[in-house]
Every structure is written in structure tokens, then in C-alpha cells.
Amino acid sequence: MTRSRLATGLVILAAVLMLVPLLWVLALSLKDNAELMTDTASVFNGRFTLENYRNLFGNGDVFRWIANSLIVSFGMTAGVLMLASLAGYGFARLEFPGRNLLFVVVLLGLAVPEQAVIIARHQMFSWLGMHNSYPALILPGLSAPFGVFLMTQYFRAIPRDIDEAALLDGASRFTIFWKLLLPLTIPAQATLGIFTFLSAWNDYWWPLISATNKDMFTLTVGIASTQMNFAQTEGLGFLMAQAVFAGAPMLIVYLFFQKYIVQAVAGAAGR
Amino acid sequence: MAGVQLAEVGKAYGAVTVIERLSLDIPAGEFMVFLGPSGCGKSTLLRMIAGLETIDGGTIRIGERRVDTLPPGERGVAMVFQHYALYPHLSVRENMAFGLRNLRVPAAEIAARIAAAAASLEIEALLERKPGQLSGGQRQRVAIARAIVKQPELFLLDEPLSNLDAALRVRTRLELAQLHRRLGTTMIFVTHDQVEAMTLADRIVVLNAGGIEQVGTPMEIYLRPRTQFVATFVGSPRINLLPVAIEEGPAGSARARLGDGTMLDTAIRFAGLPQGAMTLGLRAETVCVTAGDDAATHGTAEVVERLGERTLVHTLLSDGSRLVAEDAGVSAVRPGDRIGLTIDAAAAHLFDATGLGHHRAETA
């Protein structure tokens, strides 16, 4: 009983520690910039304003950037789910020469940091004339070794009896994949989809390099481009409004899909 | 309904031979049981018939068709798996319909077949449930129903009872026997459980190390085991095996001398027996505890197992050999007691050095 209370207390403490910075950012975003310049503790004195959000939405480009972020994030998520599922099925179920070696090569991709390939990637897209396009923003993200690994492990965990029963039921390989196995991987798909979406939504570096045209900015790049000099002193409230705006979708995604995220983390630990 | 013919069928994984050039003929409508210890190749053989394993040589025919070149779905077989292999995200009804849809069976006929199979196995109330909402026994019934709706020429059952508790196993065993009688379809049932084999089979194939030890009816297997392996694998408690010396007895029969000097006149013909040491096989029910003076030999009771309807007495003979004898369900024998034993020598078996069995001449 005492241990249970102690655990509950610790969990509440951890939750508060996690929540305080978020509430602080939200509170700052609702304050006048000039007021914050004198003292950030003014957060605790009434007088809140939506001025920073009005300024943010007053910039007509924001909606264009949101649309770009949505297109890139959904496009990357759909692509990763499709490719990782097919690759995972292949590695888990199909026998072909060099399968294990190829799987190791894919996994090695996990060890290659983006920084190591960014110049080569930039030059390749430049040579192809693809910068400032959706494919340029989406395609690099489709290389998802973690996704392939996750899906491979998930497919491997599905008993082969299912495939064999389906073969005896006269099902083709594609029918088995599409109608029987893929639906069983929905928890993994949800997890991978959420992680991919969040990482695409948050991505800053590659869009910053590839999207030089304001119309092709994603939200992260676009919002950063609106920041004035000395933003952290003169425009702290506006900066925080931008942070809230950029972070809100992630929060919403997490609220709706937390079950799958927790499952994924627990599952990854268990494997 | 179709028979199955295996001709010179073999299977190896690299250097390891799993099935060695095996031939077998299963008549249409027979309930055949593949019986053997773990790793003997019985499940592999079943999977080869199903098409889930390729064969390295030979031919497989189901009915008049050669099927070893056909994919599993075109062989006209249905299989019940040890772990059920139900599709977890589909309802029971959808599980049963899946194979029929692949075969392009009209929707009305699918519905009719599902209704009939569900009624037959009393699972109508479960049709809209998912497998995860069913108990082990219910899942097994659904797996059987899924096989039935396909109206296959051949049923393959891979240890389907091994995941059920003891009571449910007995009930399902009975239902399988009734199902076979009702459908009349050829069934091949794989098990390592001799009781399942003995109670269900029309004939049993005893497998060992990838080869057939014996094919026969349950009583043939029990009463006339072709090899020492079959004799020891079938029967509970295990058959008593005692080293003996053989000489010619009265009327040309073989007389066996046990290690403690006991002489037993068997009903096995002496002529034709190989020279040298042999092993005597005695089922426990042919060795009985006696309080009278008709004892063939004596020993000391070591362990007494009271099973209710009979008592098994593990006995140490004077030469240090051991055997299991039977006594009545209510037995006064206690560990450490000196006991007399009668032996029905006419029911004895002899096994030569190669393990080949020799039995009494068959009576007409």
C-alpha cells in the first residue's frame, strides 16, 4: 500500500515536471512582448493577450506552410508504411539468396547519421533539379531502416501457421500479405506511422536546405524565417506562440494515439 | 473421398534425412494415425502430403491425381493445425468462409456450408466472435469446422488435441471419431500419444527416425509389434523387456530362461529363431501378482502405483532385473513385500539382436 502510494507520488511528480515547461511556453505565448521584456515573471500577473497568435496568423504564408507540412508528413508516412511493410514481409517470409546480408545492410543504415550524407544528398537533388519540390522533401525520408526492422520483427512474430493455413485455403502470396498478415501488423503500422509523421513534421534541417523558395517552406522552416533578430528578448511571446503552434499537432497526435506509442515503446523493449 | 498413395517419398534438410524413401497406401475413408516420438518425421510427412513441404523424391497421389507438383490449395486437402492457426482478426464465420471465397464458391453456398458445419459442431453461437474471444476447445472446434466446410477429399490433423486439457481431449477425441464416421472422409491424424492413436485409428503407422516401423490395426500393433521399438512405444505401462536365453521347449516351442533361472514355455516356434541372446517382451497385464503357489517366479515390490481399477507393482527379481506386474485395484501389496508372480508365457514376445519381433503363431 505504502509502495503503491510512493509510486503514485513519483509518477505525479514526473508528470508535473514534464508539464511545467509546456504550460510555461503556453503562458508566455499569451503575454505582450513588451511586458515580457521587462520581466518574464509578469506571466503570473493577469492580462493575457492573443496578439501573438493574431500576428502569427496575420502572415498569410503560415497556411501555405501548414499545407506543405501536411503534404510532406502524410506523404512520407504513407511511403514509409508501404515500403517498410513490403520489405518487412520480404525479410520475414520470403526465401531469397543474400536475404540475411541484405537485412544487415539495411540495418547498417541506422548507424549512418543524416549529417554524413547531407551534402551528397543536396548535390544529388540539385543535379536532378528537384529542390523546391514535394518529392525532394519526401523522398529522403522514405529510407527508413528502423521501419524495415520494426516491420520485419513484427511479421516474424506472426505464426507461420497462419500463412500455411491460408495456402491450404487456396490464397495467393499477395492475398496472404494483404488480407491476413498486414491487418495483424496494424499496431506496428500505427506506431511507425506516428513516429514517421512526428519526425517529418518536426524535420527542420533537410527542408531548410532543400526548400529555398518561400512557397515550399514547411511550417518549421517558415516559422523560423519569421523570427526577428533578438527574438528571444524583444519577441519572446511571439516566439512562444510559434512554438505552441508548431508543437500542437504533435500533442494532438500523441493524445489520440498514445496507446500505440506506449505499445510500441514497450514492444521494442520486449523484443 | 479419396485414398492416398505415397511412393518412395523422401525428404532431407541438407545432410539430415528426415524421411527416408517411404511408401504407404491409405485406402479411401480410412482413419490413419501417424504415431511416433518427437522428431520421428511424422509431422513432416503430413506437411509433405499437404504441400507445405517439398519432397525430394517419389510421388504423392490423392485419389487418382498426382499432387506432389500441385500447390497446397489445389490438393483438395484441409488441415487442422496443432495451434489452430485461425485468422485472429476475422470472425469465426469469416474464418470459415475465407477458403471458400478463394475457391470462388457462390455466396449462398458458402452460407449454407457454414451453417451446416456450425450446426454439426455446435458453434452457431460463436460465428460472429473473433478467435481471441474463444476458449481453447472452442477454437479447436472452429478449426475443425473451417476444415469441414471445404468438403475436402482428405483431412490432415496435426496433433490437434495436444493443446487441450485432459477432459476436453477425451471429449474431442470421441467427437473426432464420430465426425469421421459421419463424413466418411479419409483422415490422417498425427500424434505422439498412443492412447489417441489406439482409440481413433483404423490403422496406425508407427514412425521412427524417418522410417516406418510398422503399419497395422491398433491391436496388431499392440499384440504383434514388428520391432522392439514398436513394442516399447505402444502400451502403458511400457512392455517389460528381459534378457533371456532360448532353447527348444515342448512341441517345438521356444523356452526362455530368465536371469533368475525361471523357465517360461512360450507359444513362439523355436524353429527359425536366430541363435544367441534374445529379449523377452511381457506386457504388464500378462504378469500378475499371486498369493498362491502357482507363482512362476518371485520378487520384491519396489514401487506400488494404485490406479483405481488396477495396481501396478514395480518388482525387483533376484537377478537384479525389474518388471512391472499387475494386481487387482484393491491390492494388499506394499513396497518391500516379497511377492509371487504368474506369467502368461503364451502372450510373450521375443526380440532378436536386430530388434525384430517374433510372436506366437497366428490363430485362425
Side-chain angles (χ1 to χ4, degrees):
Chain A
M1 187 66 183
T2 312
R3 284 185 61 164
S4 160
R5 277 186 186 167
L6 182 68
T8 309
L10 285 173
V11 167
I12 290 172
L13 181 67
V16 168
L17 286 174
M18 301 289 277
L19 202 58
V20 164
L22 293 177
L23 292 176
W24 183 247
V25 167
L26 183 66
L28 289 177
S29 75
L30 296 170
K31 294 296 293 183
D32 180 62
N33 288 310
E35 206 177 335
L36 287 176
M37 268 188 75
T38 55
D39 186 7
T40 50
S42 64
V43 161
F44 301 109
N45 314 322
R47 294 212 312 279
F48 290 105
T49 173
L50 290 172
E51 187 62 25
N52 292 320
Y53 289 97
R54 265 196 293 276
N55 290 339
L56 188 64
F57 288 106
N59 180 353
D61 289 330
V62 165
F63 297 100
R64 169 84 192 176
W65 300 335
I66 291 175
N68 287 344
S69 276
L70 286 172
I71 290 168
V72 170
S73 299
F74 277 115
M76 199 183 291
T77 304
V80 164
L81 288 181
M82 190 175 73
L83 293 175
S85 297
L86 286 168
Y89 175 78
F91 282 126
R93 286 294 201 259
L94 303 181
E95 300 283 343
F96 57 89
R99 183 183 68 171
N100 293 341
L101 179 68
L102 192 60
F103 188 58
V104 170
V105 169
V106 170
L107 290 189
L108 283 177
L110 285 167
V112 180
E114 191 179 17
Q115 289 82 347
V117 297
I118 200 90
I119 294 174
R121 186 198 290 172
H122 163 65
Q123 286 179 327
M124 185 174 78
F125 277 88
S126 176
W127 179 68
L128 291 169
M130 287 177 71
H131 280 313
N132 285 306
S133 69
Y134 290 123
L137 292 171
I138 293 171
L139 284 175
L142 300 189
S143 150
F146 172 73
V148 174
F149 172 73
L150 181 74
M151 295 311 297
T152 302
Q153 296 304 93
Y154 218 87
F155 276 113
R156 279 182 181 162
I158 298 172
R160 275 184 187 268
D161 281 3
I162 301 276
D163 304 48
E164 293 177 346
L167 282 173
L168 284 160
D169 271 343
S172 65
R173 281 251 173 229
F174 181 75
T175 303
I176 294 171
F177 169 73
W178 186 249
K179 288 191 174 172
L180 297 180
L181 299 188
L182 205 56
L184 297 179
T185 65
I186 283 175
Q189 304 264 358
T191 303
L192 182 60
I194 291 162
F195 282 159
T196 307
F197 186 89
L198 293 181
S199 119
W201 185 271
N202 282 332
D203 194 16
Y204 177 71
W205 201 25
W206 175 245
L208 181 68
I209 292 168
S210 183
T212 51
N213 182 340
K214 202 162 105 175
D215 284 346
M216 286 307 298
F217 283 177
T218 56
L219 190 60
T220 48
V221 177
I223 285 179
S225 74
T226 64
Q227 286 181 16
M228 61 197 97
N229 289 336
F230 310 111
Q232 289 169 28
T233 50
E234 294 174 5
L236 187 58
F238 184 62
L239 190 66
M240 292 301 116
Q242 291 172 335
V244 170
F245 192 63
M250 281 193 293
L251 204 61
I252 292 166
V253 166
Y254 190 84
L255 283 176
F256 280 101
F257 296 102
Q258 58 175 310
K259 185 179 94 176
Y260 291 110
I261 293 172
V262 172
Q263 272 177 2
V265 173
R271 276 176 218 288
Chain B
M1 190 162 78
V4 181
Q5 289 86 42
L6 309 179
E8 299 285 306
V9 171
K11 176 76 183 173
Y13 295 113
V16 181
T17 302
V18 185
I19 299 290
E20 199 159 5
R21 291 166 61 85
L22 180 150
S23 296
L24 182 66
D25 199 347
I26 304 171
E30 187 167 65
F31 198 125
M32 177 66 94
V33 173
F34 292 172
L35 176 68
S38 296
C40 70
K42 56 190 186 299
S43 284
T44 305
L45 186 58
L46 191 81
R47 291 166 58 80
M48 286 158 72
I49 296 170
L52 299 174
E53 297 280 354
T54 56
I55 60 172
D56 295 341
T59 58
I60 301 174
R61 290 179 181 277
I62 297 175
E64 297 304 312
R65 287 189 310 151
R66 181 175 172 182
V67 298
D68 52 88
T69 52
L70 299 177
E74 293 177 22
R75 296 192 178 196
V77 304
M79 187 158 164
V80 178
F81 291 79
Q82 182 177 1
H83 300 288
Y84 319 125
L86 298 174
Y87 311 129
H89 62 299
L90 301 182
S91 68
V92 169
R93 183 188 298 283
E94 288 163 337
N95 263 278
M96 293 165 74
F98 183 80
L100 299 179
R101 289 201 185 111
N102 290 330
L103 294 170
R104 309 252 183 267
V105 175
E109 190 179 339
I110 291 177
R113 285 200 205 177
I114 290 174
S120 157
L121 285 154
E122 299 173 13
I123 55 167
E124 294 109 314
L126 310 177
L127 284 175
E128 306 313 324
R129 290 200 206 164
K130 299 269 175 69
Q133 299 167 307
L134 306 177
S135 68
Q138 289 171 330
R139 284 184 212 181
Q140 191 54 274
R141 299 169 89 83
V142 171
I144 294 168
R146 183 175 67 175
I148 289 175
V149 290
K150 288 173 69 182
Q151 298 178 352
E153 292 180 282
L154 171 66
F155 281 101
L156 305 173
L157 303 107
D158 189 5
E159 306 204 32
L161 309 182
S162 59
N163 283 333
L164 305 179
D165 63 50
L168 197 54
R169 198 179 308 155
V170 171
R171 201 182 106 188
T172 311
R173 202 170 70 201
L174 182 70
E175 288 173 351
L176 271 177
Q178 291 168 336
L179 184 73
H180 176 248
R181 198 170 309 122
R182 198 163 63 238
L183 299 176
T185 311
T186 315
M187 290 188 177
I188 303 178
F189 184 103
V190 163
T191 183
H192 60 265
D193 184 328
Q194 52 161 311
V195 177
E196 284 173 14
M198 296 290 285
T199 51
L200 283 169
D202 291 325
R203 281 195 305 157
I204 298 172
V205 179
V206 183
L207 290 153
N208 182 31
I212 293 178
E213 289 276 335
Q214 186 172 4
V215 182
T217 64
M219 289 316 288
E220 279 170 1
I221 298 279
Y222 188 75
L223 295 175
R224 305 182 68 78
R226 200 178 72 82
T227 63
Q228 190 171 316
F229 173 84
V230 175
T232 49
F233 193 76
V234 177
S236 179
R238 214 180 82 133
I239 192 169
N240 295 299
L241 295 172
L242 300 166
V244 291
I246 297 296
E247 59 191 61
E248 186 163 6
S253 68
R255 172 176 284 169
R257 182 197 298 272
L258 273 59
D260 67 351
T262 304
M263 304 293 280
L264 297 175
D265 288 325
T266 71
I268 303 164
R269 284 175 54 79
F270 178 75
L273 286 181
Q275 298 298 307
M278 299 196 79
T279 302
L280 181 77
L282 291 169
R283 298 279 181 202
E285 65 269 20
T286 66
V287 184
C288 296
V289 177
T290 179
D293 53 7
D294 56 341
T297 186
H298 290 81
T300 306
E302 285 194 313
V303 176
V304 179
E305 293 180 311
R306 301 182 193 284
L307 304 179
E309 85 284 4
R310 60 183 173 147
T311 301
L312 299 178
V313 184
H314 296 253
T315 311
L316 179 68
L317 301 184
S318 61
D319 65 327
S321 56
R322 289 179 167 82
L323 51 72
V324 181
E326 267 197 22
D327 197 9
V330 180
S331 167
V333 178
R334 292 150 69 136
D337 285 356
R338 180 91 182 144
I339 54 173
L341 301 172
T342 63
I343 297 175
D344 179 6
H349 314 275
L350 284 170
F351 301 99
D352 61 30
T354 65
L356 197 64
H358 302 269
H359 315 287
R360 65 198 287 181
E362 279 188 270
T363 50

